[in-house]
PDB file of all heavy atoms in Angstrom:
ATOM      1  N   TYR A  26      25.445  52.874 115.689  1.00  0.00           N
ATOM      2  CA  TYR A  26      25.135  54.184 115.302  1.00  0.00           C
ATOM      3  C   TYR A  26      24.173  54.953 116.188  1.00  0.00           C
ATOM      4  O   TYR A  26      24.312  56.158 116.356  1.00  0.00           O
ATOM      5  CB  TYR A  26      24.804  54.230 113.890  1.00  0.00           C
ATOM      6  CG  TYR A  26      25.899  53.810 112.876  1.00  0.00           C
ATOM      7  CD1 TYR A  26      25.726  52.673 112.057  1.00  0.00           C
ATOM      8  CD2 TYR A  26      27.159  54.358 112.952  1.00  0.00           C
ATOM      9  CE1 TYR A  26      26.853  52.302 111.214  1.00  0.00           C
ATOM     10  CE2 TYR A  26      28.238  53.888 112.205  1.00  0.00           C
ATOM     11  CZ  TYR A  26      28.074  52.859 111.313  1.00  0.00           C
ATOM     12  OH  TYR A  26      29.231  52.449 110.541  1.00  0.00           O
ATOM     13  N   LEU A  27      23.330  54.283 116.809  1.00  0.00           N
ATOM     14  CA  LEU A  27      22.396  54.819 117.705  1.00  0.00           C
ATOM     15  C   LEU A  27      23.125  55.197 118.909  1.00  0.00           C
ATOM     16  O   LEU A  27      22.846  56.399 119.397  1.00  0.00           O
ATOM     17  CB  LEU A  27      21.174  53.851 117.919  1.00  0.00           C
ATOM     18  CG  LEU A  27      19.993  54.443 118.738  1.00  0.00           C
ATOM     19  CD1 LEU A  27      19.390  55.790 117.988  1.00  0.00           C
ATOM     20  CD2 LEU A  27      18.916  53.413 119.080  1.00  0.00           C
ATOM     21  N   ASN A  28      24.054  54.510 119.404  1.00  0.00           N
ATOM     22  CA  ASN A  28      24.844  54.950 120.537  1.00  0.00           C
ATOM     23  C   ASN A  28      25.686  56.154 120.186  1.00  0.00           C
ATOM     24  O   ASN A  28      25.855  57.077 121.006  1.00  0.00           O
ATOM     25  CB  ASN A  28      25.716  53.829 120.917  1.00  0.00           C
ATOM     26  CG  ASN A  28      25.181  52.927 122.131  1.00  0.00           C
ATOM     27  OD1 ASN A  28      24.413  53.482 122.909  1.00  0.00           O
ATOM     28  ND2 ASN A  28      25.487  51.676 122.078  1.00  0.00           N
ATOM     29  N   MET A  29      26.205  56.127 118.926  1.00  0.00           N
ATOM     30  CA  MET A  29      26.976  57.359 118.520  1.00  0.00           C
ATOM     31  C   MET A  29      26.153  58.565 118.441  1.00  0.00           C
ATOM     32  O   MET A  29      26.600  59.561 118.803  1.00  0.00           O
ATOM     33  CB  MET A  29      27.608  57.079 117.112  1.00  0.00           C
ATOM     34  CG  MET A  29      28.761  56.036 117.210  1.00  0.00           C
ATOM     35  SD  MET A  29      29.391  55.744 115.593  1.00  0.00           S
ATOM     36  CE  MET A  29      30.931  54.785 115.988  1.00  0.00           C
ATOM     37  N   ALA A  30      24.799  58.235 118.014  1.00  0.00           N
ATOM     38  CA  ALA A  30      23.839  59.453 118.074  1.00  0.00           C
ATOM     39  C   ALA A  30      23.674  60.104 119.492  1.00  0.00           C
ATOM     40  O   ALA A  30      23.608  61.277 119.641  1.00  0.00           O
ATOM     41  CB  ALA A  30      22.531  58.988 117.408  1.00  0.00           C
ATOM     42  N   CYS A  31      23.635  59.090 120.438  1.00  0.00           N
ATOM     43  CA  CYS A  31      23.437  59.593 121.807  1.00  0.00           C
ATOM     44  C   CYS A  31      24.653  60.305 122.345  1.00  0.00           C
ATOM     45  O   CYS A  31      24.584  61.307 122.899  1.00  0.00           O
ATOM     46  CB  CYS A  31      23.147  58.265 122.676  1.00  0.00           C
ATOM     47  SG  CYS A  31      21.583  57.506 122.433  1.00  0.00           S
ATOM     48  N   TYR A  32      25.865  59.822 121.965  1.00  0.00           N
ATOM     49  CA  TYR A  32      27.057  60.468 122.252  1.00  0.00           C
ATOM     50  C   TYR A  32      27.079  61.853 121.703  1.00  0.00           C
ATOM     51  O   TYR A  32      27.288  62.857 122.452  1.00  0.00           O
ATOM     52  CB  TYR A  32      28.331  59.739 121.727  1.00  0.00           C
ATOM     53  CG  TYR A  32      29.597  60.563 121.728  1.00  0.00           C
ATOM     54  CD1 TYR A  32      30.289  60.804 123.031  1.00  0.00           C
ATOM     55  CD2 TYR A  32      30.019  61.257 120.602  1.00  0.00           C
ATOM     56  CE1 TYR A  32      31.331  61.370 122.982  1.00  0.00           C
ATOM     57  CE2 TYR A  32      31.213  61.957 120.723  1.00  0.00           C
ATOM     58  CZ  TYR A  32      31.824  62.203 121.922  1.00  0.00           C
ATOM     59  OH  TYR A  32      32.991  62.967 121.968  1.00  0.00           O
ATOM     60  N   CYS A  33      26.656  62.011 120.346  1.00  0.00           N
ATOM     61  CA  CYS A  33      26.633  63.401 119.850  1.00  0.00           C
ATOM     62  C   CYS A  33      25.713  64.265 120.488  1.00  0.00           C
ATOM     63  O   CYS A  33      25.973  65.442 120.782  1.00  0.00           O
ATOM     64  CB  CYS A  33      26.298  63.252 118.289  1.00  0.00           C
ATOM     65  SG  CYS A  33      27.429  62.350 117.370  1.00  0.00           S
ATOM     66  N   GLY A  34      24.454  63.712 120.862  1.00  0.00           N
ATOM     67  CA  GLY A  34      23.499  64.640 121.526  1.00  0.00           C
ATOM     68  C   GLY A  34      24.085  64.981 122.931  1.00  0.00           C
ATOM     69  O   GLY A  34      23.830  66.174 123.151  1.00  0.00           O
ATOM     70  N   ALA A  35      24.781  64.156 123.606  1.00  0.00           N
ATOM     71  CA  ALA A  35      25.318  64.545 124.886  1.00  0.00           C
ATOM     72  C   ALA A  35      26.381  65.606 124.732  1.00  0.00           C
ATOM     73  O   ALA A  35      26.603  66.383 125.666  1.00  0.00           O
ATOM     74  CB  ALA A  35      25.770  63.332 125.567  1.00  0.00           C
ATOM     75  N   GLU A  36      27.000  65.632 123.625  1.00  0.00           N
ATOM     76  CA  GLU A  36      28.044  66.583 123.356  1.00  0.00           C
ATOM     77  C   GLU A  36      27.526  67.915 122.791  1.00  0.00           C
ATOM     78  O   GLU A  36      28.323  68.797 122.431  1.00  0.00           O
ATOM     79  CB  GLU A  36      29.149  66.023 122.397  1.00  0.00           C
ATOM     80  CG  GLU A  36      29.856  64.874 122.931  1.00  0.00           C
ATOM     81  CD  GLU A  36      30.904  65.296 124.136  1.00  0.00           C
ATOM     82  OE1 GLU A  36      31.579  66.189 123.983  1.00  0.00           O
ATOM     83  OE2 GLU A  36      30.729  64.658 125.208  1.00  0.00           O
ATOM     84  N   GLY A  37      26.213  67.976 122.558  1.00  0.00           N
ATOM     85  CA  GLY A  37      25.631  69.094 122.022  1.00  0.00           C
ATOM     86  C   GLY A  37      25.823  69.282 120.459  1.00  0.00           C
ATOM     87  O   GLY A  37      25.639  70.258 119.815  1.00  0.00           O
ATOM     88  N   LEU A  38      26.154  68.143 119.824  1.00  0.00           N
ATOM     89  CA  LEU A  38      26.440  68.126 118.361  1.00  0.00           C
ATOM     90  C   LEU A  38      25.205  67.581 117.737  1.00  0.00           C
ATOM     91  O   LEU A  38      25.025  66.427 117.332  1.00  0.00           O
ATOM     92  CB  LEU A  38      27.694  67.266 118.037  1.00  0.00           C
ATOM     93  CG  LEU A  38      29.052  67.781 118.567  1.00  0.00           C
ATOM     94  CD1 LEU A  38      30.041  66.636 118.362  1.00  0.00           C
ATOM     95  CD2 LEU A  38      29.466  68.932 117.789  1.00  0.00           C
ATOM     96  N   GLU A  39      24.166  68.467 117.611  1.00  0.00           N
ATOM     97  CA  GLU A  39      22.794  68.093 117.165  1.00  0.00           C
ATOM     98  C   GLU A  39      22.923  67.690 115.677  1.00  0.00           C
ATOM     99  O   GLU A  39      22.034  66.897 115.261  1.00  0.00           O
ATOM    100  CB  GLU A  39      21.819  69.202 117.340  1.00  0.00           C
ATOM    101  CG  GLU A  39      21.299  69.365 118.715  1.00  0.00           C
ATOM    102  CD  GLU A  39      20.803  68.078 119.411  1.00  0.00           C
ATOM    103  OE1 GLU A  39      20.012  67.411 118.704  1.00  0.00           O
ATOM    104  OE2 GLU A  39      20.995  67.690 120.526  1.00  0.00           O
ATOM    105  N   GLY A  40      23.695  68.212 114.883  1.00  0.00           N
ATOM    106  CA  GLY A  40      23.827  67.958 113.410  1.00  0.00           C
ATOM    107  C   GLY A  40      24.323  66.542 113.271  1.00  0.00           C
ATOM    108  O   GLY A  40      23.752  65.731 112.502  1.00  0.00           O
ATOM    109  N   PHE A  41      25.344  66.200 113.995  1.00  0.00           N
ATOM    110  CA  PHE A  41      25.915  64.853 113.888  1.00  0.00           C
ATOM    111  C   PHE A  41      24.891  63.858 114.623  1.00  0.00           C
ATOM    112  O   PHE A  41      24.849  62.648 114.029  1.00  0.00           O
ATOM    113  CB  PHE A  41      27.329  64.804 114.671  1.00  0.00           C
ATOM    114  CG  PHE A  41      28.502  65.294 113.866  1.00  0.00           C
ATOM    115  CD1 PHE A  41      28.982  66.626 114.125  1.00  0.00           C
ATOM    116  CD2 PHE A  41      29.027  64.663 112.889  1.00  0.00           C
ATOM    117  CE1 PHE A  41      29.989  67.036 113.381  1.00  0.00           C
ATOM    118  CE2 PHE A  41      30.181  65.172 112.112  1.00  0.00           C
ATOM    119  CZ  PHE A  41      30.580  66.330 112.445  1.00  0.00           C
ATOM    120  N   ARG A  42      24.226  64.272 115.618  1.00  0.00           N
ATOM    121  CA  ARG A  42      23.221  63.451 116.086  1.00  0.00           C
ATOM    122  C   ARG A  42      22.134  62.927 115.022  1.00  0.00           C
ATOM    123  O   ARG A  42      21.766  61.892 114.882  1.00  0.00           O
ATOM    124  CB  ARG A  42      22.579  64.137 117.292  1.00  0.00           C
ATOM    125  CG  ARG A  42      21.570  63.165 117.831  1.00  0.00           C
ATOM    126  CD  ARG A  42      20.704  63.946 119.007  1.00  0.00           C
ATOM    127  NE  ARG A  42      19.701  63.101 119.477  1.00  0.00           N
ATOM    128  CZ  ARG A  42      18.630  63.678 120.148  1.00  0.00           C
ATOM    129  NH1 ARG A  42      18.522  64.982 120.335  1.00  0.00           N
ATOM    130  NH2 ARG A  42      17.683  62.776 120.642  1.00  0.00           N
ATOM    131  N   ASN A  43      21.699  64.019 114.286  1.00  0.00           N
ATOM    132  CA  ASN A  43      20.722  63.857 113.153  1.00  0.00           C
ATOM    133  C   ASN A  43      21.410  62.804 112.233  1.00  0.00           C
ATOM    134  O   ASN A  43      20.619  61.777 111.733  1.00  0.00           O
ATOM    135  CB  ASN A  43      20.392  65.052 112.601  1.00  0.00           C
ATOM    136  CG  ASN A  43      19.562  64.953 111.233  1.00  0.00           C
ATOM    137  OD1 ASN A  43      18.514  64.516 111.416  1.00  0.00           O
ATOM    138  ND2 ASN A  43      20.125  65.262 110.224  1.00  0.00           N
ATOM    139  N   TRP A  44      22.557  63.064 111.774  1.00  0.00           N
ATOM    140  CA  TRP A  44      23.252  62.188 110.763  1.00  0.00           C
ATOM    141  C   TRP A  44      23.287  60.742 111.300  1.00  0.00           C
ATOM    142  O   TRP A  44      23.047  59.889 110.517  1.00  0.00           O
ATOM    143  CB  TRP A  44      24.579  62.805 110.415  1.00  0.00           C
ATOM    144  CG  TRP A  44      25.105  62.298 109.119  1.00  0.00           C
ATOM    145  CD1 TRP A  44      25.033  62.899 107.929  1.00  0.00           C
ATOM    146  CD2 TRP A  44      25.827  61.151 108.853  1.00  0.00           C
ATOM    147  NE1 TRP A  44      25.667  62.272 106.918  1.00  0.00           N
ATOM    148  CE2 TRP A  44      26.126  61.061 107.537  1.00  0.00           C
ATOM    149  CE3 TRP A  44      26.313  60.122 109.747  1.00  0.00           C
ATOM    150  CZ2 TRP A  44      26.914  59.977 106.991  1.00  0.00           C
ATOM    151  CZ3 TRP A  44      27.039  58.985 109.098  1.00  0.00           C
ATOM    152  CH2 TRP A  44      27.216  59.077 107.777  1.00  0.00           C
ATOM    153  N   MET A  45      23.652  60.637 112.480  1.00  0.00           N
ATOM    154  CA  MET A  45      23.851  59.199 113.031  1.00  0.00           C
ATOM    155  C   MET A  45      22.531  58.488 113.267  1.00  0.00           C
ATOM    156  O   MET A  45      22.441  57.240 113.082  1.00  0.00           O
ATOM    157  CB  MET A  45      24.720  59.320 114.307  1.00  0.00           C
ATOM    158  CG  MET A  45      26.150  59.483 114.175  1.00  0.00           C
ATOM    159  SD  MET A  45      26.893  58.130 113.270  1.00  0.00           S
ATOM    160  CE  MET A  45      28.644  58.815 113.091  1.00  0.00           C
ATOM    161  N   ASN A  46      21.523  59.300 113.604  1.00  0.00           N
ATOM    162  CA  ASN A  46      20.167  58.729 113.639  1.00  0.00           C
ATOM    163  C   ASN A  46      19.741  58.225 112.373  1.00  0.00           C
ATOM    164  O   ASN A  46      19.033  57.108 112.165  1.00  0.00           O
ATOM    165  CB  ASN A  46      19.156  59.834 114.252  1.00  0.00           C
ATOM    166  CG  ASN A  46      19.065  59.760 115.732  1.00  0.00           C
ATOM    167  OD1 ASN A  46      19.191  58.739 116.393  1.00  0.00           O
ATOM    168  ND2 ASN A  46      18.792  60.815 116.329  1.00  0.00           N
ATOM    169  N   ILE A  47      20.035  58.884 111.270  1.00  0.00           N
ATOM    170  CA  ILE A  47      19.598  58.504 109.988  1.00  0.00           C
ATOM    171  C   ILE A  47      20.439  57.146 109.541  1.00  0.00           C
ATOM    172  O   ILE A  47      19.914  56.338 109.008  1.00  0.00           O
ATOM    173  CB  ILE A  47      19.762  59.599 108.929  1.00  0.00           C
ATOM    174  CG1 ILE A  47      18.681  60.662 109.197  1.00  0.00           C
ATOM    175  CG2 ILE A  47      19.689  59.095 107.400  1.00  0.00           C
ATOM    176  CD1 ILE A  47      18.831  61.989 108.480  1.00  0.00           C
ATOM    177  N   GLN A  48      21.688  57.216 109.985  1.00  0.00           N
ATOM    178  CA  GLN A  48      22.606  56.057 109.761  1.00  0.00           C
ATOM    179  C   GLN A  48      22.013  54.698 110.464  1.00  0.00           C
ATOM    180  O   GLN A  48      21.925  53.780 109.808  1.00  0.00           O
ATOM    181  CB  GLN A  48      23.985  56.268 110.264  1.00  0.00           C
ATOM    182  CG  GLN A  48      25.072  55.240 109.930  1.00  0.00           C
ATOM    183  CD  GLN A  48      25.220  55.188 108.417  1.00  0.00           C
ATOM    184  OE1 GLN A  48      24.944  56.149 107.658  1.00  0.00           O
ATOM    185  NE2 GLN A  48      25.787  54.092 107.956  1.00  0.00           N
ATOM    186  N   TYR A  49      21.535  54.996 111.631  1.00  0.00           N
ATOM    187  CA  TYR A  49      20.847  53.931 112.421  1.00  0.00           C
ATOM    188  C   TYR A  49      19.598  53.370 111.656  1.00  0.00           C
ATOM    189  O   TYR A  49      19.431  52.231 111.414  1.00  0.00           O
ATOM    190  CB  TYR A  49      20.278  54.540 113.696  1.00  0.00           C
ATOM    191  CG  TYR A  49      19.277  53.738 114.373  1.00  0.00           C
ATOM    192  CD1 TYR A  49      19.351  52.552 114.983  1.00  0.00           C
ATOM    193  CD2 TYR A  49      17.919  54.427 114.413  1.00  0.00           C
ATOM    194  CE1 TYR A  49      18.355  51.832 115.598  1.00  0.00           C
ATOM    195  CE2 TYR A  49      16.849  53.729 115.035  1.00  0.00           C
ATOM    196  CZ  TYR A  49      17.112  52.452 115.609  1.00  0.00           C
ATOM    197  OH  TYR A  49      15.948  51.797 116.075  1.00  0.00           O
ATOM    198  N   GLN A  50      18.833  54.347 111.022  1.00  0.00           N
ATOM    199  CA  GLN A  50      17.536  53.898 110.242  1.00  0.00           C
ATOM    200  C   GLN A  50      18.078  53.219 109.044  1.00  0.00           C
ATOM    201  O   GLN A  50      17.462  52.251 108.632  1.00  0.00           O
ATOM    202  CB  GLN A  50      16.758  55.146 109.882  1.00  0.00           C
ATOM    203  CG  GLN A  50      16.077  55.845 111.042  1.00  0.00           C
ATOM    204  CD  GLN A  50      15.386  57.114 110.634  1.00  0.00           C
ATOM    205  OE1 GLN A  50      16.043  58.024 110.447  1.00  0.00           O
ATOM    206  NE2 GLN A  50      14.113  57.029 110.450  1.00  0.00           N
ATOM    207  N   GLU A  51      19.196  53.687 108.389  1.00  0.00           N
ATOM    208  CA  GLU A  51      19.678  52.985 107.254  1.00  0.00           C
ATOM    209  C   GLU A  51      20.039  51.610 107.527  1.00  0.00           C
ATOM    210  O   GLU A  51      19.809  50.683 106.640  1.00  0.00           O
ATOM    211  CB  GLU A  51      20.928  53.784 106.626  1.00  0.00           C
ATOM    212  CG  GLU A  51      20.632  54.401 105.339  1.00  0.00           C
ATOM    213  CD  GLU A  51      21.885  55.026 104.634  1.00  0.00           C
ATOM    214  OE1 GLU A  51      22.863  54.224 104.636  1.00  0.00           O
ATOM    215  OE2 GLU A  51      21.780  56.076 104.236  1.00  0.00           O
ATOM    216  N   GLU A  52      20.750  51.418 108.573  1.00  0.00           N
ATOM    217  CA  GLU A  52      21.305  50.070 108.902  1.00  0.00           C
ATOM    218  C   GLU A  52      20.089  49.107 109.209  1.00  0.00           C
ATOM    219  O   GLU A  52      20.116  47.956 108.699  1.00  0.00           O
ATOM    220  CB  GLU A  52      22.179  50.111 110.134  1.00  0.00           C
ATOM    221  CG  GLU A  52      23.378  50.873 110.020  1.00  0.00           C
ATOM    222  CD  GLU A  52      24.333  50.418 108.876  1.00  0.00           C
ATOM    223  OE1 GLU A  52      23.991  49.358 108.254  1.00  0.00           O
ATOM    224  OE2 GLU A  52      25.251  51.143 108.485  1.00  0.00           O
TER     225      GLU A  52
END
Side-chain angles (χ1 to χ4, degrees):
Y26 293 124
L27 189 56
N28 265 328
M29 286 176 172
C31 291
Y32 165 80
C33 294
E36 292 294 307
L38 294 167
E39 286 301 320
F41 281 102
R42 181 188 174 198
N43 171 64
W44 199 94
M45 285 296 176
N46 269 327
I47 291 170
Q48 189 65 20
Y49 156 74
Q50 288 174 285
E51 244 192 48
E52 298 303 349

